[in-house]
Amino acid sequence: MEPEASIESARMIRVAVVAVGNIPSAQLRDYVALVLRHRVVSLECARLFYKEHQKSPFAQQSWDTGSLCFKFLVGGAPRSPWEDFQANRKCLGVIGLMHCPTTPDIGAAYDHFMAICRAYPSAQEKRCFALYPTDGQVELDEKKRQHLVMFPPDRQMLEYHLQTLMQDFAASLLMAFESWVLHAEPVGAILTTPLDSQASLNSEEVSKAKKRRLGRVQKTIGDYCLLAGSPVDANAHYSTAIDLARLTGDLLWHAGAIEGSVSALVVDRGGLKDPQLEEEVRYRYLEVIQLYHRKTALSFELEATLKLARFLCRKELAGQVVELLMGAVEGSKTLMDASDRLVLNVEVARIFGALGYERKAAFYARQVAQLYQQQDSCWAAMSALQVLTLTAKSYRIQSKAAFSARTNTLMELLHEKDEPSRDSRGQYSSLEVGADGQWSTLQMDILGDMLAAAVRAGDPLSAWSAAARLVRGHYPLITPSAQFGLATALVTAAERLPPGTRCSDPALPFVRLHSYPRLPPELEVVKRFPGKKEWWVGASSVGPFIYTPFTSKGNESENSAEVIWVVGEPVQVLVDLSNPCAFEVYVESICLSVESGEIEAFPVSVVLPPNTSQVLSLSGLPLSVGSLVVRGCIVQCFGVVTEHLFEEAGELVSGVAISDPFRSVGGPRVSQSVAAVVEVMPPLPLLVAEVVGGEGAVVLYEGEIREMHIRLANAGVVPVLEATMTLTGKHKEHVLSLGHDILTAALPLFPGASVVVPVKLKAGQPTTEVEVVGSKGAGVNNVKPAKDPACPMLVIYYAGPPMETRDMKTKAVISPSLPPGRRLALPLQLHVLRGLYLQQARLLSMEVPAQISRYLPDPGACKSEATSPTSTLVKIDPYRGSWGLLLLELELWNATDVLFEITVTVNKGKESVDEELADDGMVNDSLYPSTRIDQNHSARVLIPLERFKLPGLEKAFLARSLAKKYGLTKHDSKARESSERQAKSELNATIEELSSRISVKWHSGRNSAGELPIKDAIREALQASAIEILLPDPLTFGFRLARDCRPSYGDKVKLSEDAVDEQPKSEDSEHVTVTNQGNNDSIVAQELTPIEMLVRNNTREAVTMSLSVTCRDVTGASCLGSSGAKATVLWAGALNGVDVEVPALGEVVHGFALCFLVPGQYTLLGAAVINDPDESLGPNSNLQYPESEPEPLYYSGPPYTVNVTGIS
Amino acid sequence: MASTACFVIVGRNDCPIYESEVGTAPKKDEATHLHQFILHAALDIVQDVVWTTNGMFLKVVDKYNELLVSVYVTAGHTRLMLLHDSRNEDGIRNFFQEVHELYIKLLLNPLYVPGSRITSPFFDTRVRALARKYL
């Protein structure tokens, strides 16, 4: 049986092409390709070399359109026993190819060629082409070598020369055919076939044989006519032959003649097919098949069937073709010759393939492979492997290398995915799904066959590839022992491969992208939003709402998808590795593989025990700027380097039988966009921060103030051009100030440079040990919660210079773009310990009566005394009394193991503080000697507070508001409320101010100092009795000795507008220091002493009142004898019921005289009874003086002490 | 007489979703593969034949040597393929109809994803029972 037999093959002139002499295979291939171009030589061209020696037997030859067809048998072919039967089976020509440079002895080579030609006795024409001869060889050329043709050594002309020679060759063959035909008829060629019986012929049979011979000659002439390109002539001869053969019952030749006539018919049509022709061909071929069948020439029968099937091979006639082919296959069972069976299966597979029945073709190809494998030879195994490789596509188990034609790089796919075209995506996914999980039984079978064939053929790479595909694609269906066998096959195949061999088919392990871990916070890249000062803050969300859950969610996902790497900085990718098989997988090296970018990947090796998977961190170093895709890993496993693309979820699940190899990882796959594009940025600066002299955490006591130094060094290769410090996190109040100026001044910070930035800390509340859940910052660049969220974070945003991004291909500057910045987050690990506990704070009131003297005390004098360093202790002015003196007692408990020294300062008003600071900074600090508190001891610190009356203006305002409130618009409740509120707020403001003025500073050890945060405690303490302290009395009383001016002892009331306004002024001086200066003004007993009482009205209303004076001795009993007791003090003037009217903010002086009979200490008390409470301060007193006399209309002043000395 | 039969249900994406050897002939491993190869190859023919008739039962569409391939195509283009060596067309038709009914019942199972492998042992038992009954 002939391979590739077709109806047209009857016109093919068979020519053997053989290599002569020593010829390199590459050259041979090249020359053969040149020769094979001339399969068809038109008669028109051949005519140029054609010489008509005699009248041509091919009368109907069409010189214009006809052609000669060659069938080149490269390497020659064995002689067929059937060559008499069909002339196209004869080798009618021989072409030798000689490569002269490697064949020095042309003579010997020519002899070799002639020897080869002897094997082809039917060859009519011989040519030996000597290519690229040397000059010497040309000279040595002998004319006697008639078949030798030397080519000029010119590559350009070679093709042309070859064409000419082939035309000449065709013409020579044509002439040879003519002569054969002319000689055949008269001479009577002996034409036999193996089927002819060799038995001796009797006479009857001899005559029959004669007729037969005629028919056979006619048929053979027809064959030659057909070969000579004259189908019309051939048809005529065939018709004769058919008649003769039918007559003689020569079935085989009858069939052959019909076949030839059909061929002539088809050739005559010039390849055009129409249904009529097809019908005729089919009809006549069925007759041919029938005849062959009758003659039991099975191979011819099958060949004819195949020829017909091939001729009819059209989609529309698929049914007929399938029927023919199935018949042929069924018939082939009785074929004896193995190679015939092989050819038949090959042909059936080919025809099915041509019909578009891929699976059918694959099936018969597999049959071919099995037939090959039955032959016990290496070549057959190789052929089997090749055939199986062809079937692989139909069974969807192609090697990945075969896919390379469809080079949809992942990058392109990604772009494709971006487009909304659903079709392409669907196609892609179906392809991917189809790539695995088809009919796995068949796939396993084919792969197993491939493995066996490859092992037998000695092709270790194919064996490795097949085993890899088998184990990777079908491990769930393979028993553990078979899996071990595959592993052994992989290892043995790898042993025969050179080290470092690459294979396109990955084996184990399965690799899946786990995630891109975030860069460590100090390396994290912060996107810059140009045109904003705070460039790290993302674009504000659109919409009227400050927070919408949707936008923030969207940002989140966007964040996770975006991965930014920096050139030259190591990166990490987490991958899942899985070995679902029963044997241990030793991965010799695994490293990242990227697309469209450069990365220096660092390989690692890992051992995967059976049925395990693990997450592996692979690192690399990006080398070029641009975008890249991490598409998989380069794995060296079982001795072969393969690239494992990251598994797609769908790829694994699609196969019904294939289960997820990652199931032991647990949980569903991390939802991540597959192989996100990674942006690689140009180098960025890198700041490294360290606390100077710091060991990490800073331990502070509550209220401590300390300066901390942070050294920032640029460890990158790019200068830092801008940097901004901010504070985030909890307990920001601990940080007083940041050295913004110093940092700004240090810019640009070149690589290697460093700057020390001071940070001033002030410890606030003690940090609690409880972990507080860190809150996430809003915006695009989320601040990662620090390890210890209780710490404030010093966040430095910095960026390098703008970079010119260059186009990858053109290297041209596109545009200066803004590279991203970075964030350096330095948690200031502050631990604030509780230093001193404030146990309690309370106000202690003190009543020290003032001494009466000639003058009212001069506030200026007091102040000067107060500021003198010798008299820093609290002293009480005996002439002023300390009715208003209050002591703030702070009880402090030292729970720590260090000493504390406490200093109390009370700042004056703002102006005075400034003033004093300007004068002498120590004044405030060391006004009082410090108090020392040992560990585990408590101490009480007394802070003297004089009446912190409101300043004058405020007081006036308050008075006015009070007056308004209670005098004028008391019925208007609304106004009253509002003014009350006003008053309240003013009060609060005053308390606030006051509490802020008191500060308790502490020292401990050498270098820790701070301030106790007791503001709140003071405020609380003050709040309780705020009004008492702060509000001025409506009336103030004062006494003085009226020595100089002798008033008339009556109820003479003198309005003294210009009287010294002592009270408000004295309030200004907080440090009441009263000296014992009254000694020189002592009052002598038994002497009438004139005394003046000053009554001041602090309200804005004129008040009419009745004044009275009481005098008490040391025991507190009245000395004036009012209660019927014996009076020890005599008096002159009115002491009771002095009715006066004091104008608003005015003052009256009431004079009287006292005569103390007994020396000693007396107390003078002024009192007033307001006559018309309705119009004045009645409600006011109710409201604000609950502790005064029960009678709301009664006021008494502070007690004044009178020291009466004896006469002596 | 021992009969050979291989029954396969092929889903619309040309993946086998059910396969079983329902013949009475002693099983040979390579033979089962051959049977499946034949059925796989027959899909090409089914793909053409299915458009030439209105019926679901396509009768014998293909043969390999003495093995015949009968196919029944459901409306959802699921192909029930039977490889057999007996020429009992009526029995095969009945077998296919019953299996089709079974398959529809299976499809009604909300837990069964159409196109996925049929793993129900009940289905398997019933198919084998039907094969014994009709083939």
Side-chain angles (χ1 to χ4, degrees):
Chain A
M1 255 180 101
E2 294 285 325
E4 272 184 283
S6 70
I7 291 179
E8 285 93 340
S9 62
R11 65 178 296 204
M12 303 281 188
I13 304 166
R14 205 169 279 211
V15 176
V17 178
V18 293
V20 178
N22 188 11
I23 180 164
S25 57
Q27 291 290 339
L28 179 63
R29 232 171 284 137
D30 187 29
Y31 297 152
V32 167
L34 281 176
V35 171
L36 289 191
R37 275 186 212 166
H38 304 283
R39 279 205 184 94
V40 177
V41 177
S42 66
L43 288 174
E44 205 175 358
C45 299
R47 196 174 194 173
L48 300 171
F49 306 93
Y50 174 74
K51 293 187 197 89
E52 197 168 17
H53 298 290
Q54 47 210 317
K55 196 180 174 332
S56 169
F58 309 134
Q60 306 291 323
Q61 199 161 30
S62 57
W63 287 98
D64 300 332
T65 55
S67 58
L68 295 181
C69 293
F70 294 108
K71 183 175 183 178
F72 296 106
L73 302 171
V74 179
R79 211 180 146 192
S80 163
W82 298 92
E83 57 184 26
D84 277 353
F85 177 53
Q86 282 168 335
N88 63 318
R89 289 180 194 257
K90 277 183 191 160
C91 234
L92 296 168
V94 180
I95 293 177
L97 291 170
M98 190 192 293
H99 186 60
C100 295
T102 52
T103 315
D105 189 355
I106 290 185
Y110 185 74
D111 292 344
H112 177 221
F113 171 68
M114 293 314 288
I116 292 172
C117 286
R118 247 165 261 139
Y120 302 99
S122 56
Q124 312 273 346
E125 282 299 321
K126 304 172 184 102
R127 290 283 188 283
C128 184
F129 295 153
L131 296 129
Y132 297 108
T134 56
D135 291 347
Q137 286 169 330
V138 173
E139 278 168 26
L140 283 171
D141 186 24
E142 294 169 40
K143 289 293 165 226
K144 65 173 185 178
R145 295 170 193 154
Q146 53 160 340
H147 299 304
L148 186 70
V149 183
M150 284 201 175
F151 278 67
D154 183 358
R155 186 72 176 82
Q156 272 81 37
M157 297 301 288
L158 183 61
E159 292 173 29
Y160 176 72
H161 288 308
L162 193 65
Q163 189 185 349
T164 313
L165 281 167
M166 288 305 293
Q167 286 167 358
D168 172 54
F169 181 67
S172 310
L173 275 173
L174 188 58
M175 289 186 281
F177 293 158
E178 278 178 9
S179 67
W180 192 92
V181 169
L182 285 175
H183 291 103
E185 234 164 336
V187 172
I190 307 300
L191 298 167
T192 52
T193 61
L195 284 180
D196 292 334
S197 61
Q198 300 301 317
S200 57
L201 309 169
N202 54 31
S203 58
E204 190 192 336
E205 281 169 338
V206 167
S207 66
K208 204 177 178 183
K210 214 173 178 181
K211 276 183 188 166
R212 268 188 194 181
R213 202 192 60 84
L214 273 175
R216 291 183 181 189
V217 168
Q218 281 300 318
K219 195 250 172 205
T220 311
I221 292 171
D223 281 350
Y224 278 104
C225 290
L226 202 55
L227 290 176
S230 173
V232 182
D233 287 316
N235 214 0
H237 289 287
Y238 281 136
S239 309
T240 321
I242 290 168
D243 290 341
L244 285 171
R246 192 183 292 138
L247 225 69
T248 55
D250 196 356
L251 292 176
L252 189 69
W253 288 78
H254 184 193
I258 296 174
E259 233 183 314
S261 74
V262 173
S263 294
L265 187 67
V266 172
V267 170
D268 196 27
R269 292 293 176 95
L272 290 172
K273 287 180 186 176
D274 53 62
Q276 204 186 340
L277 177 69
E278 272 171 0
E279 191 53 41
E280 191 178 343
V281 168
R282 201 170 70 87
Y283 172 74
R284 296 185 69 177
Y285 249 97
L286 287 178
E287 194 187 345
V288 169
I289 294 166
Q290 192 72 27
L291 286 171
Y292 281 136
H293 189 71
R294 273 167 62 192
K295 188 67 188 171
T296 63
L298 186 57
S299 63
F300 281 100
E301 181 192 342
L302 295 177
E303 203 175 298
T305 313
L306 290 178
K307 279 180 183 171
L308 178 59
R310 183 168 298 232
F311 181 76
L312 295 177
C313 180
R314 271 201 302 138
K315 200 75 191 160
E316 293 74 35
L317 301 174
Q320 291 177 28
V321 176
V322 169
E323 214 163 289
L324 283 172
L325 292 176
M326 294 330 270
V329 170
E330 203 163 352
S332 73
K333 276 195 294 181
T334 46
L335 265 181
M336 298 308 286
D337 189 6
S339 70
D340 275 1
R341 228 180 300 161
L342 200 65
V343 168
L344 179 102
N345 276 306
V346 168
E347 290 303 305
V348 168
R350 275 184 181 164
I351 293 168
F352 270 128
L355 203 58
Y357 284 178
E358 262 185 40
R359 287 168 278 204
K360 276 273 180 199
F363 176 78
Y364 286 103
R366 178 176 166 273
Q367 297 294 107
V368 170
Q370 286 196 329
L371 288 173
Y372 269 126
Q373 278 181 291
Q374 282 166 12
Q375 301 173 23
D376 200 13
S377 82
C378 178
W379 298 107
M382 277 168 86
S383 305
L385 181 62
Q386 279 175 0
V387 172
L388 284 172
T389 313
L390 289 175
T391 66
K393 188 165 172 276
S394 307
Y395 293 109
R396 300 183 194 279
I397 44 169
Q398 286 142 296
S399 157
K400 288 263 167 64
F403 272 106
S404 56
R406 188 185 64 96
T407 41
N408 267 355
T409 56
L410 213 53
M411 208 64 172
E412 284 167 18
L413 279 174
L414 277 171
H415 290 307
E416 212 170 272
K417 274 183 181 175
D418 290 340
E419 290 162 20
S421 65
R422 249 189 95 171
D423 273 7
S424 64
R425 200 185 309 184
Q427 255 178 16
Y428 169 66
S429 63
S430 71
L431 252 173
E432 280 300 302
V433 166
D436 279 302
Q438 272 284 328
W439 209 311
S440 43
T441 323
L442 312 187
Q443 292 178 340
M444 279 169 65
D445 201 81
I446 295 286
L447 283 171
D449 284 352
M450 281 171 89
L451 176 59
V455 168
R456 274 173 66 182
D459 185 348
L461 188 58
S462 298
W464 199 93
S465 164
R469 273 180 276 168
L470 191 52
V471 76
R472 186 179 174 86
H474 305 282
Y475 66 90
L477 302 175
I478 303 174
T479 56
S481 60
Q483 287 183 3
F484 276 113
L486 285 174
T488 321
L490 283 171
V491 171
T492 46
E495 274 166 8
R496 298 180 55 191
L497 286 169
T501 306
R502 286 180 167 263
C503 182
S504 51
D505 297 300
L508 292 173
F510 289 90
V511 179
R512 189 170 70 172
L513 180 63
H514 182 268
S515 61
Y516 294 100
R518 290 186 79 116
L519 292 169
E522 64 270 14
L523 290 179
E524 209 170 316
V525 172
V526 179
K527 207 171 178 181
R528 275 167 98 175
F529 294 91
K532 283 176 97 174
K533 193 168 176 292
E534 297 193 325
W535 44 262
W536 54 90
V537 181
S540 53
S541 59
V542 269
F545 304 110
I546 295 169
Y547 170 79
T548 50
F550 307 108
T551 56
S552 73
K553 206 172 180 183
N555 283 341
E556 196 96 348
S557 66
E558 201 178 272
N559 265 3
S560 65
E562 200 171 1
V563 183
I564 297 176
W565 288 349
V566 177
V567 167
E569 289 179 18
V571 293
Q572 279 194 327
V573 177
L574 290 181
V575 295
D576 276 337
L577 296 185
S578 166
N579 170 25
C581 293
F583 51 86
E584 187 180 84
V585 174
Y586 173 57
V587 180
E588 287 141 69
S589 83
I590 177 169
C591 61
L592 292 175
S593 149
V594 299
E595 195 171 297
S596 76
E598 286 176 61
I599 189 167
E600 188 189 338
F602 306 127
V604 293
S605 66
V606 65
V607 175
L608 290 166
N611 283 315
T612 56
S613 60
Q614 69 181 70
V615 177
L616 191 69
S617 167
L618 295 175
S619 47
L621 200 66
L623 296 177
S624 64
V625 180
S627 58
L628 57 82
V629 172
V630 182
R631 62 172 178 184
C633 294
I634 305 273
V635 174
Q636 185 173 8
C637 188
F638 296 109
V640 172
V641 181
T642 50
E643 181 173 22
H644 293 228
L645 297 184
F646 289 135
E647 309 288 339
E648 308 260 343
E651 206 177 329
L652 295 168
V653 182
S654 66
V656 189
I658 311 271
S659 49
D660 184 11
F662 291 99
R663 63 180 182 277
S664 52
V665 175
R669 177 194 164 83
V670 190
S671 63
Q672 184 160 22
S673 56
V674 180
V677 178
V678 177
E679 288 293 325
V680 181
M681 290 290 161
L684 297 180
L686 176 61
L687 277 186
V688 178
E690 68 167 334
V691 177
V692 176
E695 61 289 328
V698 180
V699 179
L700 296 169
Y701 288 109
E702 198 179 353
E704 183 169 343
I705 296 168
R706 191 186 283 185
E707 194 158 89
M708 194 174 165
H709 294 276
I710 291 169
R711 183 193 300 278
L712 297 174
N714 186 359
V717 291
V718 174
V720 178
L721 283 197
E722 48 184 297
T724 318
M725 284 193 282
T726 52
L727 273 180
T728 55
K730 297 237 160 186
H731 297 295
K732 274 190 263 189
E733 70 276 4
H734 287 322
V735 180
L736 270 186
S737 69
L738 297 169
H740 290 290
D741 304 340
I742 294 169
L743 182 60
T744 320
L747 295 176
L749 199 61
F750 288 103
S754 65
V755 60
V756 176
V757 178
V759 175
K760 201 166 185 184
L761 302 174
K762 183 187 184 209
Q765 290 288 315
T767 48
T768 47
E769 297 302 313
V770 186
E771 287 281 308
V772 188
V773 178
S775 62
K776 268 191 171 180
V780 172
N781 296 312
N782 281 344
V783 180
K784 232 179 144 185
K787 279 173 229 155
D788 183 3
C791 285
M793 297 269 287
L794 178 66
V795 181
I796 302 173
Y797 292 94
Y798 59 96
M803 277 278 169
E804 291 135 358
T805 49
R806 284 168 189 279
D807 196 307
M808 293 288 284
K809 287 156 201 158
T810 58
K811 298 280 179 198
V813 178
I814 299 171
S815 62
S817 72
L818 216 53
R822 274 205 158 133
R823 177 201 303 126
L824 171 70
L826 179 70
L828 299 173
Q829 297 210 353
L830 301 180
H831 292 289
V832 180
L833 300 180
R834 170 149 285 208
L836 292 172
Y837 283 89
L838 180 69
Q839 302 281 71
Q840 62 172 342
R842 59 179 173 177
L843 276 177
L844 304 173
S845 63
M846 288 191 76
E847 281 187 25
V848 178
Q851 279 189 5
I852 198 159
S853 77
R854 192 168 306 276
Y855 308 104
L856 287 170
D858 181 14
C862 287
K863 192 175 176 181
S864 66
E865 296 250 353
T867 52
S868 69
T870 52
S871 55
T872 53
L873 289 172
V874 176
K875 287 169 188 161
I876 292 164
D877 185 355
Y879 299 98
R880 288 186 54 205
S882 65
W883 183 261
L885 184 71
L886 290 171
L887 290 173
L888 180 65
E889 187 200 62
L890 301 175
E891 192 176 342
L892 299 170
W893 163 255
N894 179 4
T896 64
D897 49 1
V898 289
L899 291 182
F900 278 94
E901 288 195 359
I902 299 287
T903 315
V904 177
T905 51
V906 178
N907 292 336
K908 318 223 164 188
K910 270 190 183 159
E911 322 81 45
S912 60
V913 168
D914 292 345
E915 197 180 287
E916 294 210 6
L917 280 174
D919 287 350
D920 181 9
M922 292 301 286
V923 171
N924 268 336
D925 292 346
S926 58
L927 207 52
Y928 306 115
S930 56
T931 312
R932 180 176 143 155
I933 308 177
D934 287 332
Q935 37 183 295
N936 289 326
H937 281 73
S938 65
R940 292 182 184 195
V941 181
L942 290 178
I943 305 168
L945 302 174
E946 234 215 320
R947 291 201 173 189
F948 291 98
K949 302 297 184 196
L950 297 170
L953 186 66
E954 285 177 31
K955 182 180 71 182
F957 174 77
L958 184 67
R960 188 167 60 241
S961 75
L962 280 173
K964 247 187 202 166
K965 183 165 65 180
Y966 301 115
L968 302 174
T969 61
K970 58 182 176 183
H971 301 297
D972 190 355
S973 60
K974 229 180 201 174
R976 188 162 148 183
E977 263 176 36
S978 70
S979 54
E980 237 172 45
R981 210 177 299 131
Q982 201 177 358
K984 202 95 176 170
S985 67
E986 206 154 333
L987 255 179
N988 285 340
T990 317
I991 290 166
E992 190 70 31
E993 191 204 338
L994 181 59
S995 55
S996 66
R997 265 152 55 179
I998 300 169
S999 64
V1000 179
K1001 297 192 171 170
W1002 54 263
H1003 290 269
S1004 172
R1006 185 171 293 169
N1007 52 9
S1008 53
E1011 205 173 305
L1012 274 187
I1014 53 163
K1015 207 168 146 183
D1016 292 338
I1018 294 174
R1019 190 188 302 137
E1020 225 163 88
L1022 287 176
Q1023 205 102 45
S1025 49
I1027 287 147
E1028 181 194 344
I1029 302 162
L1030 294 168
L1031 277 191
D1033 300 336
L1035 297 175
T1036 49
F1037 298 87
F1039 293 92
R1040 70 182 174 202
L1041 296 179
R1043 188 172 287 173
D1044 298 337
C1045 60
R1046 306 246 170 215
S1048 56
Y1049 305 130
D1051 49 354
K1052 189 176 173 187
V1053 175
K1054 182 170 77 182
L1055 293 174
S1056 61
E1057 294 290 338
D1058 56 344
V1060 184
D1061 193 7
E1062 40 113 25
Q1063 205 69 349
K1065 278 194 179 164
S1066 68
E1067 277 161 15
D1068 280 352
S1069 67
E1070 279 83 2
H1071 311 293
V1072 185
T1073 51
V1074 185
T1075 52
N1076 250 348
Q1077 59 185 349
N1079 285 342
N1080 48 356
D1081 290 333
S1082 61
I1083 297 164
V1084 184
Q1086 296 174 1
E1087 204 176 277
L1088 193 64
T1089 314
I1091 295 174
E1092 285 178 349
M1093 178 171 75
L1094 286 93
V1095 179
R1096 189 185 158 82
N1097 180 7
N1098 289 327
T1099 66
R1100 296 283 282 184
E1101 291 278 305
V1103 181
T1104 312
M1105 66 186 90
S1106 155
L1107 296 174
S1108 59
V1109 178
T1110 40
C1111 179
R1112 299 175 194 272
D1113 59 10
V1114 189
T1115 60
S1118 177
C1119 316
L1120 298 175
S1122 57
S1123 56
K1126 190 184 168 192
T1128 51
V1129 177
L1130 304 178
W1131 73 91
L1135 290 185
N1136 282 312
V1138 184
D1139 291 330
V1140 289
E1141 186 181 335
V1142 189
L1145 297 173
E1147 213 177 31
V1148 289
V1149 179
H1150 170 65
F1152 58 94
L1154 290 177
C1155 176
F1156 299 94
L1157 299 176
V1158 184
Q1161 200 173 46
Y1162 296 88
T1163 305
L1164 282 179
L1165 273 171
V1169 176
I1170 292 167
N1171 298 335
D1172 194 355
D1174 286 345
E1175 289 181 6
S1176 175
L1177 308 166
N1180 189 12
S1181 61
N1182 244 347
L1183 190 74
Q1184 301 192 353
Y1185 291 86
E1187 87 286 356
S1188 66
E1189 306 294 330
E1191 168 62 45
L1193 308 179
Y1194 181 80
Y1195 290 92
S1196 66
Y1200 269 69
T1201 312
V1202 179
N1203 275 320
V1204 179
T1205 53
I1207 307 160
S1208 63
Chain B
M1 175 194 147
S3 72
T4 314
C6 176
F7 177 62
V8 170
I9 300 179
V10 180
R12 55 181 305 157
N13 56 352
D14 288 355
C15 283
I17 57 176
Y18 174 80
E19 48 200 68
S20 76
E21 286 288 325
V22 291
T24 51
K27 279 178 193 170
K28 281 183 285 174
D29 196 38
E30 57 193 278
T32 64
H33 286 183
L34 178 68
H35 294 163
Q36 296 203 12
F37 271 109
I38 294 167
L39 290 172
H40 178 254
L43 283 174
D44 270 331
I45 311 226
V46 174
Q47 165 187 308
D48 283 353
V49 173
V50 74
W51 303 111
T52 61
T53 169
N54 283 328
M56 284 178 161
F57 182 45
L58 306 184
K59 300 177 184 165
V60 175
V61 295
D62 196 10
K63 62 174 182 171
Y64 179 74
N65 299 343
E66 72 280 5
L67 296 170
L68 306 170
V69 179
S70 290
V71 178
Y72 183 93
V73 184
T74 69
H77 210 65
T78 301
R79 281 144 294 180
L80 316 182
M81 304 179 81
L82 183 74
L83 185 80
H84 55 98
D85 50 6
S86 61
R87 293 188 176 270
N88 175 12
E89 198 179 295
D90 285 340
I92 291 168
R93 181 197 300 274
N94 289 335
F95 172 75
F96 275 141
Q97 277 167 354
E98 299 258 342
V99 174
H100 187 201
E101 205 177 312
L102 262 181
Y103 178 67
I104 287 166
K105 283 180 187 164
L106 183 87
L107 283 179
L108 292 176
N109 182 351
L111 299 180
Y112 173 74
V113 181
S116 68
R117 189 163 270 271
I118 299 172
T119 50
S120 160
F122 172 76
F123 185 85
D124 188 55
T125 326
R126 289 297 296 274
V127 166
R128 283 172 192 283
L130 287 173
R132 273 196 298 280
K133 184 176 171 189
Y134 290 113
L135 302 181

